[in-house]
Amino acid sequence: MALLSASALAVSFGDVTLFSGVSFDVGPKDKIGLIGANGTGKTTLFRLLTKQYTPSQGALFFGKDVTLGYMEQHACAESKKTVFDEMLTVYADVLEAEKELDEIAKKLDGHTGDAALLLHRQQELLELFTRRDGATCRSRARSALLGLGFEERDFSLPCALLSGGQRSKLSLCKLLLSGANLLLLDEPTNHLDIPSIGWLEGFIAEYPGAVIVISHDRYFLDKVTTRTFELEHGRLFAANGNYTRYSALKEERLKAEERVYAAAMKEIHRIEGIIEQQKRFNRERNYKTIASKQKSIDRLEKDLVAPEKQQKPIRFSFQTALTSGNDVLICSGLAKSFGEKKLFRNADLFLQRGERVFLTGENGCGKSTLLKMILGKMTRDCGKITLGVGVKAGYFDQTLAELSSDKTVLDEVWDSYRLMNEVDVRRALAAFLFKGEDVFKNMKALSGGEKARVALLKLMLSGANFLVLDEPTNHLDIQSREALEHAFDTFDGTMLVVSHDRYFINRLATRVLRLTEDGLESFDGNYDTFHSAMEARKTAAPAQKKEPKQNDYQKRKEHESRLRKLKGQISRLEAQIDELDSAAADLQAQLSDPDTAAAYETILALTEQMHENTQRQEALMEEWQALNEALEREDSLNSEFGIRNSELRSREQQ
């Protein structure tokens, strides 16, 4: 039995019909991918299913045991609650019941109110509380958060301070505990790094209920979906299979529609020719033939449906203004920290002309920071960066921060390329689907996808031969992503790209880099090759532990050197802290001297010295604490290198 059935749904806003005649069924275990260009009505359809909107026509029918769970595209973004309190909103009815039960207990103890009514209500609430496992709801909420990577210290964070990825995970946590058997997920992979997307794929695969997911992530859709719905030209097209299977079936369908239409039009033209011939004979029996043939045309035209014109794709074409040397980028020993937060160190990178290199890593590991360091937009702690001869870099920033908010679309592009005339600028904008009055839209009124198209157009016009791209497919629909892939595939320059779009990486990459705290690892090939290598490493990890490590002697010597250096720094700091303690005691003694009490200026000077002394002590103590934490980390490696503290002290004494 279907969980959900839709019959002839239509949605109109004023005179504009977004879609009509939309009918479908959702089975108990269906995993459905909902695709379509931006603006075709995918999120609107979800809002019909959640009853936020009412259809202009048609009807929805839900099974009697359906519980709906909805993850919006910008989940938890407006919440003013803490992480844990937001999580507990899943149990709002349970918590309300718990509160009311406490109030009833007080009334019964105080003999206030109608005892019979209170006892009846108490029984109702206890049944709800038991059915929803109210006694364990808080512990289950805590376990779910910990299982999805949150830490105890995160529970008290306001939701407003969470990253996009953390908000997505929080929303998924709520869905896990909601008891829903039909999930609606709107762009759930947005802001998630690849490991988190992998977790989500596993979750959906094992989820016992049905799922409808809106996504432009084709790799993700191929992994999780068994059916595909597409909203296009105001209609819904459906087929069994994942995104790749649906794409093949769609191509066959469009070709068949064109063949049927062409055959029908050919027959109509043939019959029209007969009619024209009969008209020339101008006899009574010829008019009978004409009438008969016209009926044949009418029958054909009645059932004739012209194939929908496909939306023109964006016409990307990245051309280099000049050819760079063979060596495009050389980086050695790069490191970056923000305070005590160490992003990465010992990062080495060498790019040659024509390479398409993709940079991966977990959220927060410093991928965007590394790109900005290479372009000189951010300082590095240490290391060297050298751009090759004739290299002209072009940058796409995922935040789109370099776009103005107070210009029109036309001015945003034209102001960057003043040597172009207005006709050429408007022709370029038309290729990126900004036509007619669209070019006079204000930038701040554009959607994320429209802003991304403007940024990509400016990059295309730059003539750069080294493209540095930070999540260039974010905000783009599938059709635009495919057009962008084709353009990059024919680009004769060099590319360094941060992306979580595995389909995009598979299509273009010649090499994949993985950024960790200890630097960069390089893997020749595309994402699938990289993923296979990482999986093989996990499988081989236990066996590798038994084998002797390479360069053990060198690593051991480096470890011993770091230990001695840290201990030396700590000893020097402790000596300075002792000196400051002595100085503080002297200053305090002077302030306590009765002779000083009468000297106002002397007291001010001594107080100022005390303040400076205290600040210096606090700074040294923070540094001392950081060095001791570093020493503890190094000490934890002692077992790996077979070094005992007593052995090290013995060597130091010698």
Side-chain angles (χ1 to χ4, degrees):
M1 181 179 175
L3 292 177
L4 165 66
S5 295
S7 176
L9 294 179
V11 171
S12 299
F13 297 102
D15 296 332
V16 178
T17 298
L18 190 58
F19 54 73
S20 62
V22 169
S23 301
F24 58 87
D25 293 324
V26 179
K29 295 186 178 181
D30 281 344
K31 305 295 188 288
I32 299 168
L34 178 56
I35 64 173
N38 289 336
T40 53
K42 301 184 297 297
T43 299
T44 298
L45 180 56
F46 268 17
R47 288 176 179 164
L48 290 179
L49 302 184
T50 56
K51 300 180 182 179
Q52 295 177 59
Y53 288 175
T54 302
S56 307
Q57 294 178 12
L60 284 165
F61 305 96
F62 290 90
K64 64 176 182 177
D65 296 323
V66 172
T67 303
L68 206 63
Y70 180 32
M71 177 182 168
E72 298 182 78
Q73 189 172 159
H74 304 289
C76 306
E78 303 300 323
S79 176
K80 292 180 171 56
K81 296 181 171 66
T82 65
V83 168
F84 194 70
D85 287 343
E86 179 64 30
M87 187 67 180
L88 287 178
T89 58
V90 173
Y91 298 113
D93 57 339
V94 176
L95 298 178
E96 280 297 319
E98 186 179 55
K99 183 179 177 182
E100 192 175 345
L101 281 168
D102 287 342
E103 292 172 355
I104 289 173
K106 289 176 183 177
K107 288 179 180 178
L108 289 171
D109 288 343
H111 303 288
T112 58
D114 187 323
L117 286 175
L118 289 173
L119 287 169
H120 178 72
R121 179 58 178 161
Q122 185 184 55
Q123 185 60 36
E124 288 181 339
L125 293 171
L126 284 171
E127 288 175 3
L128 167 66
F129 197 76
T130 303
R131 186 174 69 252
R132 295 274 278 130
D133 294 325
T136 61
C137 69
R138 290 178 178 82
S139 62
R140 281 185 288 140
R142 181 179 172 278
S143 297
L145 286 168
L146 293 172
L148 265 179
F150 286 96
E151 298 181 14
E152 290 274 7
R153 65 171 179 265
D154 298 328
F155 290 6
S156 59
L157 284 176
C159 290
L161 297 182
L162 298 182
S163 67
Q166 287 174 314
R167 286 199 296 269
S168 295
K169 285 187 176 182
L170 177 57
S171 185
L172 286 167
C173 273
K174 291 169 64 179
L175 289 180
L176 279 171
L177 299 181
S178 68
N181 55 3
L182 173 56
L183 297 186
L184 307 179
L185 308 179
D186 194 349
E187 293 284 2
T189 62
N190 277 3
H191 310 295
L192 295 183
D193 55 23
I194 290 177
S196 298
I197 295 172
W199 175 89
L200 180 59
E201 288 168 353
F203 165 71
I204 292 176
E206 296 175 8
Y207 183 68
V211 178
I212 308 177
V213 55
I214 296 172
S215 182
H216 297 306
D217 186 333
R218 294 155 292 173
Y219 198 100
F220 171 74
L221 290 169
D222 275 350
K223 283 279 189 180
V224 304
T225 58
T226 56
R227 298 176 66 195
T228 301
F229 294 171
E230 181 178 23
L231 277 171
E232 187 177 39
H233 305 303
R235 294 188 293 160
L236 183 80
F237 299 90
N240 292 330
N242 61 15
Y243 169 77
T244 297
R245 175 62 179 157
Y246 174 80
S247 296
L249 291 173
K250 178 182 177 180
E251 189 174 348
E252 291 175 10
R253 171 173 60 81
L254 293 176
K255 287 179 179 178
E257 288 176 357
E258 288 172 359
R259 285 195 299 269
V260 169
Y261 181 75
M265 289 303 297
K266 184 178 180 180
E267 179 64 10
I268 288 171
H269 292 149
R270 187 187 71 80
I271 296 172
E272 286 176 342
I274 294 173
I275 290 174
E276 287 299 319
Q277 186 182 56
Q278 294 296 318
K279 283 180 178 179
R280 286 197 296 270
F281 293 152
N282 198 23
R283 294 174 185 167
E284 184 178 348
R285 66 185 180 86
N286 298 120
Y287 286 109
K288 291 180 180 179
T289 302
I290 289 170
S292 174
K293 295 298 181 184
Q294 185 60 51
K295 287 181 180 178
S296 297
I297 290 177
D298 293 342
R299 282 195 299 272
L300 286 169
E301 289 182 337
K302 180 182 177 182
D303 299 326
L304 186 63
V305 178
E308 295 280 1
K309 290 184 178 179
Q310 298 300 302
Q311 181 183 354
K312 288 186 177 180
I314 300 172
R315 299 194 297 275
F316 293 104
S317 179
F318 290 87
Q319 303 294 328
T320 57
L322 70 162
T323 303
S324 70
N326 284 327
D327 296 345
V328 173
L329 175 67
I330 302 171
C331 302
S332 59
L334 297 182
K336 186 65 180 178
S337 300
F338 291 100
E340 294 184 4
K341 172 66 174 174
K342 292 178 174 60
L343 290 182
F344 55 82
R345 60 185 177 183
N346 301 325
D348 299 330
L349 175 59
F350 176 43
L351 262 62
Q352 289 190 297
R353 187 177 68 227
E355 282 197 288
R356 298 197 291 264
V357 178
F358 281 75
L359 182 60
T360 67
E362 295 184 1
N363 282 346
C365 71
K367 300 184 295 295
S368 298
T369 299
L370 179 58
L371 296 190
K372 290 176 181 177
M373 286 166 56
I374 289 169
L375 295 170
K377 296 178 179 292
M378 188 173 285
T379 59
R380 55 190 182 274
D381 295 347
C382 61
K384 188 176 181 181
I385 299 172
T386 305
L387 288 176
V389 176
V391 172
K392 181 181 180 183
Y395 177 50
F396 180 91
D397 178 8
Q398 66 166 318
T399 66
L400 305 173
E402 297 187 0
L403 297 177
S404 303
S405 60
D406 56 351
K407 292 182 180 180
T408 65
V409 173
L410 178 64
D411 288 339
E412 176 65 31
V413 177
W414 203 2
D415 285 353
S416 298
Y417 298 99
R418 296 305 301 176
L419 295 180
M420 295 176 66
N421 60 46
E422 184 176 357
V423 173
D424 288 339
V425 175
R426 295 192 68 161
R427 187 179 293 120
L429 283 167
F432 277 63
L433 308 184
F434 292 101
K435 299 176 182 179
E437 294 300 309
D438 289 343
V439 303
F440 300 113
K441 285 183 178 178
N442 195 284
M443 288 294 298
K444 64 185 175 185
L446 300 185
S447 68
E450 289 171 325
K451 288 178 181 177
R453 298 206 312 261
V454 173
L456 286 166
L457 173 57
K458 291 176 68 175
L459 181 64
M460 189 185 81
L461 294 173
S462 71
N465 54 28
F466 176 34
L467 300 181
V468 181
L469 311 169
D470 193 357
E471 297 288 1
T473 60
N474 274 8
H475 309 294
L476 297 182
D477 56 31
I478 289 176
Q479 191 177 41
S480 299
R481 292 182 187 206
E482 290 174 344
L484 187 64
E485 287 164 0
H486 177 73
F488 285 150
D489 204 24
T490 58
F491 176 61
D492 61 357
T494 309
M495 294 168 56
L496 177 61
V497 190
V498 169
S499 181
H500 292 134
D501 187 337
R502 295 160 295 173
Y503 203 100
F504 185 61
I505 301 173
N506 261 351
R507 173 79 183 272
L508 295 172
T510 58
R511 187 154 55 103
V512 176
L513 300 175
R514 176 172 174 258
L515 182 61
T516 68
E517 188 177 331
D518 295 319
L520 287 164
E521 288 184 274
S522 181
F523 301 81
D524 290 335
N526 60 11
Y527 176 78
D528 283 344
T529 307
F530 160 73
H531 181 65
S532 296
M534 296 302 295
E535 289 300 306
R537 180 181 294 181
K538 288 179 186 177
T539 304
Q544 288 175 351
K545 287 181 181 178
K546 297 177 183 179
E547 297 174 2
K549 295 189 176 182
Q550 294 180 346
N551 301 321
D552 247 7
Y553 175 78
Q554 183 63 32
K555 289 183 179 179
R556 176 172 173 158
K557 298 297 288 183
E558 290 173 358
H559 172 65
E560 292 175 6
S561 174
R562 289 196 298 271
L563 278 173
R564 284 193 293 271
K565 184 177 179 181
L566 284 169
K567 289 184 176 182
Q569 290 175 312
I570 289 170
S571 295
R572 287 191 291 275
L573 276 176
E574 288 173 345
Q576 292 178 51
I577 291 168
D578 287 340
E579 289 176 8
L580 289 171
D581 284 340
S582 299
D586 290 341
L587 289 168
Q588 188 61 49
Q590 292 180 56
L591 284 168
S592 302
D593 191 336
D595 294 336
T596 307
Y600 177 74
E601 291 182 357
T602 303
I603 289 176
L604 283 179
L606 290 172
T607 303
E608 182 64 23
Q609 289 178 48
M610 282 286 288
H611 178 68
E612 291 175 359
N613 191 76
T614 301
Q615 285 188 319
R616 179 64 179 150
Q617 280 180 307
E618 290 174 352
L620 289 177
M621 285 302 296
E622 288 180 2
E623 191 175 350
W624 178 85
Q625 186 175 356
L627 287 171
N628 271 282
E629 289 173 355
L631 182 62
E632 286 179 10
R633 288 194 294 272
E634 290 296 335
D635 277 338
S636 68
L637 296 174
N638 284 351
S639 58
E640 180 181 347
F641 295 110
I643 303 170
R644 294 187 300 274
N645 284 329
S646 58
E647 181 184 348
L648 188 61
R649 283 195 296 271
S650 175
R651 291 180 192 171
E652 289 172 347
Q653 290 169 2
Q654 292 174 3

